[in-house]
Amino acid sequence: MNEDLHGRTVLLAGATGGVGEGTTRSLLAHGARVVAIGRDEERLAGLADRLGDTGTGELVLHRTDVTAADSSAVTRELRAAFGTVDGAVISIGTPGGRTRGSVLDITDAHWAEMVEGNQTAGFRALRALVPLVAPDGAVVSLLGASAEIPFPGNPLMGATNAALRSLVQTLAVQLSGSGPRVYGLVLGVVRTRARQSVGIDDPRWLTGEQVGDAVGELLTAGAPGSDEPLHHLIDPVTGLTVRSSRS
Ligand SMILES: NC(=O)c1ccc[n+]([C@@H]2O[C@H](COP(=O)([O-])OP(=O)(O)OC[C@H]3O[C@@H](n4cnc5c(N)ncnc54)[C@H](OP(=O)(O)O)[C@@H]3O)[C@@H](O)[C@H]2O)c1
């Protein structure tokens, strides 16, 4: 990382999740004050237990639902608690129930569940958090590579991620020049605690900490092409790559 995160406050929504936990650990290791946001006190307390010693970083737990319909109320609550911050990371989403058959077999109920849990949730998180970030700060929204490929195992995960990717790229253009910088970070498969606990793991996949390192690069504008909104971290060997919106 070109510049460390000492003295910077970063809001991290979805910190209790597999990717959120690794990202929190990495940002703390780089000295950030991380406000770990989740909807459940017990899950937040469990996160704090697992993280243990935060080194030079500072961990603050905050229970709220950044996806609540009244985004202005969420913004007011977080502003009262933390003021203007240096960065925000959005690491939320749900794989939903199992998709059976083809796209043509998707029920309205499954569609509604996935749009609400991913697309609407990601949109509301942006609407609540972006206004809290300083004009020279940055927002990173984590996305899945399923947004960019055929994804027969979970078509609506792919479709809702693609919709979010579009929103994030458009917002980045709309805020360009007035700030904050807005990034979509498209991820490959991550070695989460949940996967590992059921024996699903592969050393060729990303770790949550590697995701956090890449997020830190974007937050500090240390990544190559940090004026571009869309970045990819698909595997640990290739590392963080940027896709030019002008090509
Ligand atoms: N895991 C991977 O391999 C992978 C790969 C590519 C991209 N990603 C992306 O990384 C992000 C996080 O994935 P993950 O694997 O860490 O997921 P996860 O373990 O399921 O964690 C997601 C967290 O988000 C919160 N959350 C879920 N649905 C929400 C909703 N509707 N409203 C508000 N909060 C909600 C939950 O926290 P609380 O309930 O405690 O609030 C949960 O702990 C997602 O955007 C995903 O698309 C993950």
Side-chain angles (χ1 to χ4, degrees):
M1 211 174 288
N2 288 348
E3 193 187 339
D4 70 25
L5 290 160
H6 284 275
R8 302 199 195 200
T9 297
V10 179
L11 305 178
L12 205 161
T16 56
V19 179
E21 179 170 329
T23 302
T24 302
R25 187 174 281 113
S26 165
L27 298 182
L28 288 170
H30 287 93
R33 176 181 184 234
V34 180
V35 179
I37 300 174
R39 297 172 295 181
D40 182 273
E41 299 276 7
E42 269 184 39
R43 284 198 288 276
L44 285 169
L47 169 72
D49 281 348
R50 290 190 298 279
L51 290 171
D53 181 4
T54 61
T56 57
E58 181 192 355
L59 178 68
V60 181
L61 305 179
H62 190 88
R63 192 188 67 76
T64 199
D65 183 357
V66 297
T67 70
D70 189 350
S71 301
S72 303
V74 178
T75 307
R76 279 196 302 277
E77 174 198 328
L78 290 169
R79 181 169 283 129
F82 306 106
T84 298
V85 299
D86 303 289
V89 183
I90 299 170
S91 181
I92 63 174
T94 173
R98 189 151 171 245
T99 305
R100 294 175 198 280
S102 79
V103 166
L104 306 182
D105 300 307
I106 292 169
T107 63
D108 282 358
H110 187 44
W111 174 270
E113 173 202 3
M114 292 299 280
V115 170
E116 179 72 17
N118 290 300
Q119 192 173 331
T120 306
F123 159 62
R124 287 179 175 163
L126 286 168
R127 197 170 59 177
L129 298 181
V130 174
L132 294 161
V133 181
D136 62 350
V139 178
V140 183
S141 179
L142 300 183
L143 305 165
S146 60
E148 301 185 338
I149 53 174
F151 207 58
N154 196 340
L156 292 179
M157 175 60 87
T160 54
N161 263 274
L164 271 180
R165 186 189 58 169
S166 170
L167 275 186
V168 167
Q169 285 184 280
T170 298
L171 182 63
V173 169
Q174 290 172 330
L175 295 184
S176 174
S178 59
R181 289 170 285 117
V182 175
Y183 298 109
L185 177 56
V186 179
L187 302 174
V189 188
V190 184
R191 304 174 70 181
T192 59
R193 209 166 46 84
R195 281 201 172 104
Q196 288 171 329
S197 70
V198 292
I200 301 172
D201 198 14
D202 189 323
R204 291 168 298 181
W205 294 344
L206 300 163
T207 65
E209 288 75 9
Q210 285 163 339
V211 176
D213 291 349
V215 166
E217 293 273 332
L218 293 171
L219 291 177
T220 57
S226 56
D227 55 335
E228 291 286 349
L230 195 61
H231 292 249
H232 288 69
L233 181 65
I234 303 300
D235 70 70
V237 177
T238 311
L240 190 60
T241 59
V242 61
R243 179 171 301 172
S244 172
S245 54
R246 289 175 280 273
S247 61

